[in-house]
Amino acid sequence: YTVNIGPSGTIYVAGGGINELGNEIWIVRSSKDNGESWETVDEFNYSSERDQPYSITIGAYGNIYVAGTVDAKTSPLGLIRKSSDQGETWESIYTFDDATFSKTYIHQISSFDNSLFFASGPINGTNSAREWHVYKSDDGGENWTEADHYEPSSSASIDNAVSTFVTSKGTLLVGGTYHYQDYAIRRSDDLGLTWVEALKFNTTVVKTALNQRITGHTISDFTEDEDGSLYAVTTLTDTNDTSIASGLIYQSDDDGETWTLFEEGHQLTEGKQTGFQDILFHSKNNLLVSGTTSEDSTDQWGVFRCLIMSYDLVSNTSRVLYQSSLSDDTKNLCYDLAKNSDGDVYVVGRDFV
């Protein structure tokens, strides 16, 4: 699900696996030779149910943090594990098990100086609400406080913080979902003390360039180019025909205060499904986007495959860099992107066979 590069150039990836008992376990693997060879550095089993890491960040002093969810099938708990020795040893440093809530998830963790932030949700409370939460630690993850509790819609809706990002100016951005499938961006210029809505997508008033009636999914990732412009990705679905989906990119040139459409509903094949998952500023004038595409005519995405695209910020053109082969019995998903100091790019994904 997730990939990141350590200060020494070591690549870290995290995802799920199955052990000899048939339990779905938490796995972290690393490569010290640019992906030529790999070793498992953390194999963690919290419960007999599903344990799943979702995000990796590199914090102060080169500490590595992996965040995710354990016991996901029955009573999910958000969990953070840490390595202080470049992945040699690991410890669980935080479990989100607030008794007020029955189910918790940690989707993404970010670092800035010695501060850490994670987005949490959905959380099922006593009123069955799923609420948007952001938590902050100023001591390397040992202790956490709530930085944002956001309820943009009714208590019966799903309000879900998914992505976190700290800009070069120290502004904290959080993207997520509200009211089931609408999406929003929250912004804090004091690292979580105060917040404002920077973007709130409402399906009743917004249409894509394809003139579709659409519903949003979530703001799944952010990136920043060398000039300080910010970009955020999401996926839209035509509510009149759920077999049609489009990738979308937003842009901000004022440190996240306002956002405009940069890519207005990309479809690799018109009338079919294209979803954007992750975005990365690679080099001068070049954005990379990972996601999924399908040419199936059903509303279940059918046979889908990994997609990586490039956007030229000067010519405002795009092209497909990679698309996995189409097979009737294989489904590919592409998730997270990362680059090393040499500009090499790595993407993690998943095959369904």
Side-chain angles (χ1 to χ4, degrees):
Y1 281 99
T2 181
V3 58
N4 212 326
I5 313 295
S8 63
T10 299
I11 309 166
Y12 297 94
V13 298
I18 298 177
N19 66 10
E20 65 277 5
L21 299 176
N23 299 337
E24 297 182 55
I25 61 174
W26 174 302
I27 294 178
V28 181
R29 289 173 60 79
S30 71
S31 173
K32 297 180 179 179
D33 54 10
N34 296 321
E36 294 295 325
S37 62
W38 294 85
E39 63 174 334
T40 298
V41 294
D42 189 28
E43 188 172 300
F44 179 68
N45 190 199
Y46 178 89
S47 70
S48 61
E49 301 296 341
R50 180 179 299 150
D51 300 335
Q52 181 68 64
Y54 289 110
S55 180
I56 302 173
T57 194
I58 311 299
Y61 314 110
N63 291 330
I64 307 163
Y65 299 87
V66 180
T69 301
V70 294
D71 202 10
K73 288 185 178 179
T74 53
S75 300
L77 299 173
L79 179 73
I80 298 173
R81 287 177 61 78
K82 173 184 176 182
S83 175
S84 302
D85 52 13
Q86 300 187 53
E88 295 296 322
T89 60
W90 294 82
E91 60 177 333
S92 298
I93 62 169
Y94 182 77
T95 303
F96 188 85
D97 56 359
D98 191 324
T100 305
F101 305 103
S102 60
K103 295 183 179 181
T104 66
Y105 294 80
I106 298 177
H107 290 300
Q108 192 172 56
I109 186 169
S110 299
S111 60
F112 181 79
D113 290 338
N114 196 42
S115 295
L116 296 166
F117 306 90
F118 72 76
S120 175
I123 297 177
N124 286 355
T126 55
N127 62 352
S128 298
R130 297 185 177 184
E131 301 163 351
W132 174 308
H133 286 251
V134 179
Y135 284 79
K136 176 182 180 180
S137 172
D138 291 323
D139 59 6
E142 298 299 325
N143 297 282
W144 294 82
T145 57
E146 188 177 71
D148 191 26
H149 181 185
Y150 180 49
E151 298 180 73
S153 53
S154 67
S155 61
S157 298
I158 299 175
D159 304 327
N160 185 5
V162 172
S163 53
T164 58
F165 185 81
V166 183
T167 74
S168 59
K169 296 180 180 179
T171 298
L172 175 60
L173 302 174
V174 178
T177 301
Y178 77 96
H179 197 256
Y180 294 99
Q181 287 195 347
D182 297 336
Y183 56 80
I185 296 174
R186 298 266 287 168
R187 179 181 185 275
S188 173
D189 58 13
D190 50 20
L191 292 180
L193 294 178
T194 59
W195 294 84
V196 295
E197 282 183 356
L199 174 68
K200 191 172 182 181
F201 177 94
N202 189 317
T203 59
T204 62
V205 297
V206 179
K207 293 183 178 181
T208 66
L210 300 175
N211 197 32
Q212 299 169 346
R213 177 177 174 82
I214 55 178
T215 178
H217 288 271
T218 190
I219 299 292
S220 57
D221 195 42
F222 298 93
T223 195
E224 181 175 3
D225 69 20
E226 59 188 5
D227 296 322
S229 293
L230 304 170
Y231 303 88
V233 287
T234 188
T235 301
L236 303 175
T237 301
D238 186 342
T239 56
N240 295 325
D241 181 356
T242 56
S243 69
I244 301 176
S246 309
L248 207 73
I249 302 174
Y250 279 91
Q251 178 179 1
S252 173
D253 295 324
D254 54 12
D255 201 39
E257 290 189 30
T258 59
W259 295 83
T260 57
L261 283 173
F262 171 79
E263 168 60 82
E264 299 183 355
H266 179 88
Q267 290 179 316
L268 194 62
T269 303
E270 185 175 354
K272 302 301 180 182
Q273 300 144 322
T274 299
F276 288 168
Q277 177 68 26
D278 202 68
I279 189 167
L280 174 71
F281 176 70
H282 177 249
S283 58
K284 187 175 179 62
N285 304 321
N286 186 33
L287 291 175
L288 298 179
V289 177
S290 65
T292 302
T293 184
S294 173
E295 297 182 3
D296 195 277
S297 61
T298 72
D299 62 359
Q300 301 299 319
W301 284 79
V303 177
F304 45 83
R305 42 188 171 156
C306 171
L307 173 69
I308 301 175
M309 297 193 63
S310 171
Y311 284 85
D312 188 305
L313 299 177
V314 174
S315 63
N316 200 27
T317 57
S318 63
R319 62 190 179 99
V320 175
L321 297 180
Y322 174 77
Q323 188 175 10
S324 59
S325 60
L326 186 62
S327 171
D328 291 337
D329 58 1
T330 300
K331 301 178 180 181
N332 312 112
L333 293 176
C334 276
Y335 296 117
D336 206 12
L337 291 161
K339 68 173 181 177
N340 64 17
S341 58
D342 295 327
D344 298 329
V345 177
Y346 302 88
V347 60
V348 290
R350 184 177 181 183
D351 284 338
F352 297 81
V353 180

